[in-house]
Each structure stands twice: as structure tokens, then as C-alpha cells.
Amino acid sequence: FGVPNWDFLGSTMVTSNYIRITPDQRSKQGALWNKIPCKTRNWETQIQFKVSGTTKDLFGDGFAIWYARDRMMGGPVFGSKDYFSGLAIMVDTYSNHNGPHNHNHPYVSAMINNGSLSYDHDRDG
């Protein structure tokens, strides 16, 4: 079972009712990438998502919505590569940093990158 024009990686599960990127288990990663480049100048997207598990706390590191040049490139930045070119909207659900933050979790942030910047989880998210 699949969805036309989309590729899946890792623990991603597709059903007729929903797509689960990762199960409620430790050390799981998943991804969903569109196969068709968006070549229009103006665009918008609507995404409906649900983060859930067996406890009241949010576990896992979070997830990101990517509008990036390179697709299907696994890596350390919410499942994708560092030094990406494009836009990442990141939802950080767990405070696993090495220093103080000035925000609470879950935390939503965005980063635009031309491929020259490294994402620093402790400072950027």
C-alpha cells in the first residue's frame, strides 16, 4: 500500500486512514518525501498532524517539515541532513540540550539555509 508521488523511509507506516512517521518506541526514525519538485513561485501548504503516545509526556526529539533542495537525505537534523538548502520548520518536543534555553518544549522554530549553516540543536532549537 502506498501513496502516489511520495517516498517513505525508516519506520514510516502507511494505512488507508493515516500515515505514522514513527511508532511510540525508542530510537525510531521515519520520513515522508514528495517526489515532485514544487516549481511555482507562490505556494502554500496545509498539514494536519497529531503527536501521541502511551503517556501524557511527549517523547522523541520531534519532527520537521522540509522544503529543501535535497530529498531523502537522512541525517542528524530531525531526520534530514545538516547544511541543507531550503526551509525547515521544526517542532522540537523534547528538551535534550546541554545548556539553558529561553523557551519551553514543545518548541516550533524555522530555519532558512543556503547550505552554508550547520543546525545547532542547543542554540537553534
Side-chain angles (χ1 to χ4, degrees), residues 1-9 12 14 19 21 31-36 45-47 65-66 71-72:
F1 186 79
V3 180
N5 302 318
W6 293 87
D7 283 326
F8 308 91
L9 289 174
T12 303
V14 179
I19 297 169
I21 302 296
L32 169 69
W33 287 92
N34 193 284
K35 294 179 181 180
I36 301 171
T45 185
Q46 294 183 18
I47 299 168
I65 300 164
W66 296 90
R71 60 185 291 280
M72 304 285 285

Side-chain angles (χ1 to χ4, degrees), residues 18-22 47-53 58 63 93:
Y18 61 87
I19 297 169
R20 177 176 290 143
I21 302 296
T22 59
I47 299 168
Q48 183 177 359
F49 63 89
K50 176 181 175 183
V51 177
S52 64
L58 293 176
F63 63 93
T93 59

Side-chain angles (χ1 to χ4, degrees), residues 10-57:
S11 301
T12 303
M13 181 178 76
V14 179
T15 75
S16 60
N17 296 322
Y18 61 87
I19 297 169
R20 177 176 290 143
I21 302 296
T22 59
D24 186 19
Q25 298 172 355
R26 288 180 176 254
S27 302
K28 298 295 181 180
Q29 289 185 351
L32 169 69
W33 287 92
N34 193 284
K35 294 179 181 180
I36 301 171
C38 178
K39 296 185 180 190
T40 61
R41 183 174 178 92
N42 300 306
W43 57 273
E44 71 178 65
T45 185
Q46 294 183 18
I47 299 168
Q48 183 177 359
F49 63 89
K50 176 181 175 183
V51 177
S52 64
T54 57
T55 67
K56 64 178 181 150
D57 296 318

Side-chain angles (χ1 to χ4, degrees), residues 70-92:
D70 302 317
R71 60 185 291 280
M72 304 285 285
M73 304 287 292
V77 182
F78 292 94
S80 195
K81 74 176 206 171
D82 202 359
Y83 295 97
F84 63 92
S85 291
L87 166 67
I89 301 169
M90 300 167 214
V91 181
D92 191 350

Side-chain angles (χ1 to χ4, degrees), residues 79-119:
S80 195
K81 74 176 206 171
D82 202 359
Y83 295 97
F84 63 92
S85 291
L87 166 67
I89 301 169
M90 300 167 214
V91 181
D92 191 350
T93 59
Y94 187 72
S95 179
N96 55 353
H97 58 278
N98 294 319
H101 274 310
N102 60 357
H103 58 265
N104 294 319
H105 289 80
Y107 181 71
V108 179
S109 63
M111 180 176 181
I112 296 174
N113 197 350
N114 63 3
S116 66
L117 301 172
S118 175
Y119 176 79

